[in-house]
């Protein structure tokens, strides 16, 4: 796919004004582009680094058209936006990412079916529409397995781990809300992710394989480069996926590695991703830089160079409570605070990245810090 290269001073419209939108906007502005952001939250962090702010719901078609009319290109920061309205917007304005990826990946069932059809290796799963399907899932998958809502879940929301018959009642309560997908719970060795950017004319650039740890289904830390031999295999899986799903810009594929060293595709985020935040300091281009280059039609770099290994930790509200008085004493901590108006214990409030020559030692030092504060 080829599309026009935007000139200096052109306007980038961003649907979504959270931290991802904020970091997109910062990359766009340093390249000389104007930024307009649309978000339903009157205190959305991105508005403070944008030239204009449209305070409207994601499914407000009139507001989306207002954004499209004022922008030379429109992009988005997350996938839980209205696919139907995005389709309309794509037909009327310059939205290089299109709506197909959002339409496919908003639905966990459709996502898994798409991954299957692409020939990727995925975790065994079952469609769940009622309690009877749940019984069939027990027979097919065995305990333990995860039950996830088809739509709307992120950071552990809309998910239940079913370890035994005792957990079925909680899973049934989730199924009453909406249809679900059950997937086998693997005996995990490691979680990794691969961030990729596709640009004008099918240019493609890969970031280093990222090693991730989640706690309570929220990303806790990322280590780059990943301590894994799976980078080439992960790239091969991504190459299969991009033949089935239309991508322009930055996206991330998350993988599981089980105790037998088998790699499974878990899910796809069709936009910049939390596990790629380290790239702001650790790489010669960040995931946000390459995203803006892609959607504005610029040439991508031939490769991403990692300048130094890195450990990135998310900062939740409880972490800020613990560490905020320590930030000024640690210039080696590259701290990013997102500017969200309200602090909650499990809400992502920022992240910090440490560049290092000794990943293992830095990881242990940071873990000690997050357990009890810096000494």
């Amino acid at each position: 796919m080829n599309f026009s290269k935007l000139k200096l001073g052109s306007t980038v419209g961003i649907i979504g004004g959270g931290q991802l939108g904020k970091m997109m906007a910062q990359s766009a502005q340093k390249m000389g582009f104007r930024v307009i952001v649309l978000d339903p939250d009157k205190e959305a962090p991105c508005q403070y680094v944008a030239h204009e702010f449209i305070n409207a719901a994601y499914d407000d078609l009139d507001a989306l058209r207002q954004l499209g009319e004022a922008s030379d290109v429109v992009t988005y920061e997350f996938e839980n936006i209205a696919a139907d309205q995005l389709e309309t917007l794509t037909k009327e304005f310059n939205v290089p990412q299109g709506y197909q990826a959002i339409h496919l990946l908003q639905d966990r069932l459709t996502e898994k079916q798409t991954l299957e059809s692409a020939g990727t290796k995925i975790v065994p799963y079952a469609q769940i529409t009622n309690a009877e399907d749940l019984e069939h899932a027990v027979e097919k998958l065995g305990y333990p397995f995860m039950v996830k809502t088809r739509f709307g879940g992120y950071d552990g929301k809309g998910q239940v781990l079913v370890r035994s018959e005792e957990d079925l009642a909680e899973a049934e309560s989730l199924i009453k809300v909406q249809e679900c997908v059950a997937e086998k719970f693997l005996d995990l060795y490691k979680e990794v992710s691969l961030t990729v950017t596709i640009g004008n004319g099918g240019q493609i650039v890969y970031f280093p394989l990222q090693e991730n740890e989640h706690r309570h289904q929220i990303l806790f830390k990322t280590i780059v480069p990943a301590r894994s031999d799976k980078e080439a295999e992960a790239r091969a899986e991504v190459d299969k996926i991009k033949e089935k799903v239309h991508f322009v810009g930055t996206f991330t594929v998350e993988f599981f590695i089980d105790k037998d060293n088998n790699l499974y595709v878990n899910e796809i985020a069709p936009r910049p991703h939390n596990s790629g935040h380290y790239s702001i300091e650790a790489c010669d281009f960040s995931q946000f830089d390459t995203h803006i280059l892609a959607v504005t039609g610029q040439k991508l770099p031939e490769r991403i160079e990692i300048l130094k290994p890195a450990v990135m930790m998310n900062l939740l509200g409880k972490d800020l409570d613990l560490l905020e008085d320590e930030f000024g004493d640690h210039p080696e901590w590259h701290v990013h605070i997102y500017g969200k108006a309200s602090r909650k214990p499990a809400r992502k409030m920022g992240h910090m990245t440490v560049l290092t020559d000794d990943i293992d030692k830095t990881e242990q030092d940071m873990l000690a810090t997050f357990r009890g504060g810096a000494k």
Side-chain angles (χ1 to χ4, degrees):
M1 177 181 180
N2 292 288
F3 43 94
S4 60
K5 177 180 175 181
L6 298 190
K7 296 180 180 179
L8 198 70
S10 297
T11 299
V12 176
I14 303 173
I15 303 172
Q19 63 265 25
L20 298 177
K22 179 180 179 180
M23 288 182 273
M24 275 186 202
Q26 289 169 327
S27 282
Q29 288 192 352
K30 77 178 183 182
M31 295 178 198
F33 298 112
R34 298 183 72 257
V35 175
I36 302 177
V37 61
L38 179 148
D39 195 281
D41 182 359
K42 292 181 180 179
E43 297 178 321
C46 184
Q47 69 173 296
Y48 303 111
V49 297
H51 294 84
E52 294 181 40
F53 176 53
I54 300 172
N55 182 213
Y58 296 128
D59 60 355
D60 184 334
L61 189 55
D62 288 339
L64 289 169
R65 283 189 168 122
Q66 180 186 344
L67 178 72
E69 288 166 357
S71 303
D72 295 292
V73 67
V74 175
T75 183
Y76 47 78
E77 70 146 8
F78 80 136
E79 57 268 42
N80 290 323
I81 56 180
D84 290 344
Q85 281 80 355
L86 186 61
E87 180 178 1
T88 299
L89 203 67
T90 299
K91 291 175 180 177
E92 298 179 8
F93 303 103
N94 180 22
V95 188
Q97 291 161 277
Y99 67 92
Q100 297 95 333
I102 289 290
H103 180 73
L104 287 172
L105 304 179
Q106 279 183 342
D107 181 344
R108 281 196 171 99
L109 178 62
T110 304
E111 179 180 28
K112 289 186 179 300
Q113 291 169 338
T114 302
L115 290 170
E116 268 189 322
S117 68
T120 65
K121 188 172 185 178
I122 63 171
V123 177
Y125 73 96
Q127 182 178 355
I128 306 292
T129 58
N130 52 46
E132 186 177 344
D133 288 340
L134 192 58
E135 293 175 8
H136 293 156
V138 173
E139 296 172 5
K140 177 180 179 179
L141 304 176
Y143 296 114
F145 61 91
M146 293 289 297
V147 175
K148 302 178 181 180
T149 55
R150 284 181 60 176
F151 300 94
Y154 64 95
D155 286 348
K157 298 176 177 66
Q159 301 184 16
V160 174
L161 175 58
V162 181
R163 297 181 181 86
S164 67
E165 189 175 347
E166 294 177 357
D167 297 319
L168 291 176
E170 186 179 1
E172 287 179 11
S173 66
L174 198 63
I175 296 163
K176 289 176 182 176
V177 176
Q178 63 166 278
E179 290 187 13
C180 295
V181 172
E183 60 183 45
K184 187 174 180 61
F185 191 77
L186 295 178
D187 189 8
L188 278 186
Y189 165 61
K190 195 164 286 188
E191 296 176 75
V192 296
S193 59
L194 192 64
T195 295
V196 182
T197 305
I198 295 178
N200 212 347
Q203 302 169 82
I204 185 165
V205 65
Y206 301 88
F207 285 80
L209 189 67
Q210 299 141 192
E211 176 183 334
N212 305 317
E213 179 186 340
H214 289 79
R215 295 188 177 181
H216 308 293
Q217 287 79 52
I218 299 174
L219 184 65
F220 175 65
K221 74 173 185 291
T222 295
I223 290 174
V224 180
R227 295 165 292 189
S228 170
D229 62 356
K230 292 294 185 180
E231 182 156 355
E233 188 175 344
R235 285 192 182 193
E237 293 293 85
V238 169
D239 288 343
K240 295 174 188 175
I241 293 166
K242 71 181 180 63
E243 295 303 315
K244 281 286 183 179
V245 183
H246 169 83
F247 289 112
V248 170
T250 296
F251 64 100
T252 293
V253 180
E254 297 181 74
F255 300 88
F256 292 140
I257 302 174
D258 69 11
K259 291 290 178 63
D260 295 322
N261 205 34
N262 295 306
L263 184 80
Y264 297 89
V265 177
N266 176 28
E267 60 186 24
I268 306 167
R271 37 73 182 172
H273 188 259
N274 196 170
S275 65
H277 291 351
Y278 72 90
S279 62
I280 297 171
E281 283 84 25
C283 297
D284 56 348
F285 291 82
S286 78
Q287 64 167 342
F288 303 100
D289 294 338
T290 55
H291 181 77
I292 296 299
L293 289 173
V295 299
T296 59
Q298 317 299 312
K299 184 178 180 181
L300 296 180
E302 291 185 7
R303 66 182 61 83
I304 298 297
E305 299 288 350
I306 183 165
L307 305 176
K308 204 165 190 180
V311 180
M312 188 277 293
M313 311 283 289
N314 261 338
L315 293 169
L316 306 182
K318 63 184 178 63
D319 302 316
L320 288 191
D321 293 341
L322 177 69
L323 296 174
E324 62 180 322
D325 292 338
E326 310 283 353
F327 291 152
D329 297 328
H330 291 272
E332 75 276 14
W333 295 352
H334 295 273
V335 177
H336 296 252
I337 302 300
Y338 300 147
K340 295 179 179 179
S342 62
R343 182 184 302 187
K344 299 176 183 177
R347 189 183 193 192
K348 293 177 187 174
M349 303 301 297
H351 72 270
M352 59 189 253
T353 301
V354 178
L355 307 183
T356 179
D357 291 318
D358 189 338
I359 283 284
D360 294 335
K361 182 180 185 303
T362 299
E363 178 187 25
Q364 292 309 310
D365 289 347
M366 292 178 75
L367 289 173
T369 295
F370 274 66
R371 280 196 292 268
K375 303 301 182 187

